[in-house]
Amino acid sequence: MKMRLLALEHFKEGKSRTQIAKYLKVSLTSVNKWISVFLEDGLKGLKKKPCSGRPAFLTLNNVSSYPIILNLKLKTLLVGD
């Protein structure tokens, strides 16, 4: 949201969309989209939307055990069963 608000601030100051994209190091397409959405829907349109797709498979609990599991599997592959 911070980048989007910065883009809008520069836009209101009269900077071109190309200048904004270069300054923020984002694509011109993103800047165009943010400004268009803001002009149509206001600030509420700039809020991040929920991501579509399948939820993450990994959780914080099982990610912490992955180095141990991977290390055991690597040893099994190198030494053999």
Side-chain angles (χ1 to χ4, degrees):
M1 183 75 165
K2 184 179 176 182
M3 293 290 276
R4 298 168 190 193
L5 293 175
L6 283 171
L8 288 176
E9 186 176 331
H10 289 293
F11 182 70
K12 287 183 176 183
E13 291 173 357
K15 302 265 187 338
S16 73
R17 294 174 187 213
T18 304
Q19 289 173 320
I20 297 167
K22 285 181 183 176
Y23 179 75
L24 296 178
K25 296 180 181 164
V26 297
S27 71
L28 180 58
T29 304
S30 293
V31 173
N32 285 332
K33 180 179 168 189
W34 297 338
I35 292 172
S36 297
V37 167
F38 173 74
L39 293 174
E40 275 193 33
D41 302 325
L43 286 176
K44 68 176 181 164
L46 290 178
K47 290 183 182 175
K48 285 193 173 186
K49 312 285 188 285
C51 296
S52 63
R54 182 178 181 186
F57 178 72
L58 300 177
T59 65
L60 291 177
N61 291 334
N62 62 13
V63 166
S64 62
S65 64
Y66 267 38
I68 297 166
I69 294 168
L70 292 174
N71 199 8
L72 289 173
K73 287 191 178 204
L74 181 60
K75 284 181 183 177
T76 303
L77 288 172
L78 293 175
V79 176
D81 273 331

